[in-house]
Amino acid sequence: MSEQLKVPTMAEYMAEGKQPEILFWVGSAGSYDDRAKKITKAFVKILNKANVDFAVLGAEESNTGDVAKRAGNEFLFQMQAMMNIEVLNAYEIKRIVTCDPHSFNCIKNEYPSLGGNYDVVHHTQFIKELISSGRLSLEGETYKGKRITFHDPCYLGRANSEYDAPRDVLKHTNANLVEMKRHKRTALCCGAGGAQMFKEPEKGDMDVNILRTKDALETKPDIIATGCPYCNTMMSDGVKFNEKEDSIKVLDIAELIADS
């Protein structure tokens, strides 16, 4: 990327005695996974473009503990969570934005009982805010006439009933939004949730992500839009399995918006 991305840390803000508007929670996937790093960069590009005053924890950010909890290790989850909450509370964080629905759900719904109370927002909700408040304007030509189908992440959709924000944001691309038969409340999981991401699938006729990609392919899309790094991996694998990677792209909403 030729343009310089500005990514200040909370420690730098603290040193200047300032508070950012939001804390951007990058998450483990967004920090370490090569594909997910592109989503992180795209979102930072949006934040820079809209002049959002944001900071990241940097090296002080640790895994939310979501994966440990889903895999049944409550003790490890609480250790991870308490460590993060101490850091967040020390910085007096009020508002957190993340590109990962797993982090979103975990910090929003599971941290409060451990003393971590924050206004937690998914990046699609935040991008919607930026557009509707006029801080971000798009040139709707890049994807005009393209067919885009959106795959609902479980932890954004069914777990937190947010179906509109990603779709409202996608409408601003002027693409043709086509819905899969199973969408919103009836959407199928990509197959990575509940720590399944890190193990081989159980025996059966078909991997969940292959089944879900079939749903997407039925809409004859040019692009499968996702709002979660795990879903992105699973859908990309499904597209490769069907040998369609030359004709169909799997892109996070942040990437679609950053390119518009």
Side-chain angles (χ1 to χ4, degrees):
M1 290 184 63
S2 51
E3 55 192 310
Q4 243 349 86
L5 293 174
K6 292 197 294 290
V7 189
T9 62
M10 266 316 291
E12 288 163 20
Y13 264 88
M14 202 65 172
E16 290 175 30
K18 290 194 313 202
Q19 267 291 20
E21 183 184 336
I22 59 160
L23 174 82
F24 172 29
W25 185 274
V26 184
S28 300
S31 305
Y32 297 110
D33 180 78
D34 285 341
R35 177 64 189 87
K37 281 181 197 168
K38 292 179 181 165
I39 300 171
T40 304
K41 281 183 183 154
F43 187 56
V44 168
K45 188 175 161 186
I46 293 168
L47 294 174
N48 285 171
K49 187 91 181 148
N51 292 318
V52 177
D53 217 6
F54 78 99
V56 297
L57 285 176
E60 293 186 275
E61 181 186 301
S62 180
N63 187 289
T64 56
D66 169 76
V67 178
K69 188 177 181 76
R70 303 294 158 236
N73 194 337
E74 184 64 28
F75 178 68
L76 180 58
F77 161 70
Q78 293 209 7
M79 267 172 44
Q80 293 285 140
M82 298 301 287
M83 216 158 60
N84 285 322
I85 289 167
E86 262 176 47
V87 173
L88 291 167
N89 289 352
Y91 280 129
E92 297 178 6
I93 300 294
K94 306 281 184 284
R95 195 160 203 229
I96 299 174
V97 180
T98 179
C99 298
D100 177 7
H102 297 254
S103 300
F104 166 73
N105 178 70
C106 192
I107 300 172
K108 177 176 188 274
N109 299 322
E110 287 159 355
Y111 275 25
S113 62
L114 297 168
N117 295 287
Y118 320 101
D119 172 20
V120 190
V121 185
H122 186 247
H123 72 309
T124 57
Q125 296 172 323
F126 193 68
I127 293 169
K128 181 183 169 177
E129 268 180 45
L130 293 177
I131 294 171
S132 41
S133 63
R135 295 173 69 181
L136 188 69
S137 56
L138 307 179
E139 294 150 21
E141 296 307 313
T142 321
Y143 299 103
K144 205 173 180 163
K146 293 267 188 237
R147 287 171 69 83
I148 297 183
T149 190
F150 175 66
H151 161 73
D152 288 279
C154 293
Y155 275 122
L156 184 64
R158 287 176 307 172
N160 288 288
S161 302
E162 177 60 88
Y163 302 107
D164 297 336
R167 288 173 172 82
D168 291 347
V169 168
L170 284 171
K171 278 183 193 136
H172 288 279
T173 62
N174 286 338
N176 298 332
L177 280 188
V178 283
E179 293 287 5
M180 298 182 225
K181 275 210 287 286
R182 292 185 262 206
H183 66 285
K184 295 191 174 174
R185 204 154 268 129
T186 60
L188 186 71
C189 174
C190 73
Q196 297 290 321
M197 179 78 175
F198 307 101
K199 57 184 271 300
E200 289 305 311
E202 274 105 31
K203 286 186 173 56
D205 299 335
M206 193 186 295
D207 290 1
V208 176
N209 66 314
I210 305 297
L211 184 59
R212 185 53 172 162
T213 306
K214 266 189 166 28
D215 285 358
L217 296 180
E218 277 171 19
T219 68
K220 303 199 168 27
D222 296 306
I223 294 164
I224 299 171
T226 57
C228 165
Y230 297 105
C231 297
N232 195 298
T233 299
M234 299 307 263
M235 300 305 276
S236 297
D237 286 353
V239 168
K240 281 178 194 144
F241 176 84
N242 284 286
E243 297 180 352
K244 293 262 197 267
E245 65 264 43
D246 295 338
S247 55
I248 298 174
K249 289 195 172 109
V250 180
L251 294 170
D252 189 89
I253 287 182
E255 297 177 297
L256 286 159
I257 297 304
D259 288 344
S260 319

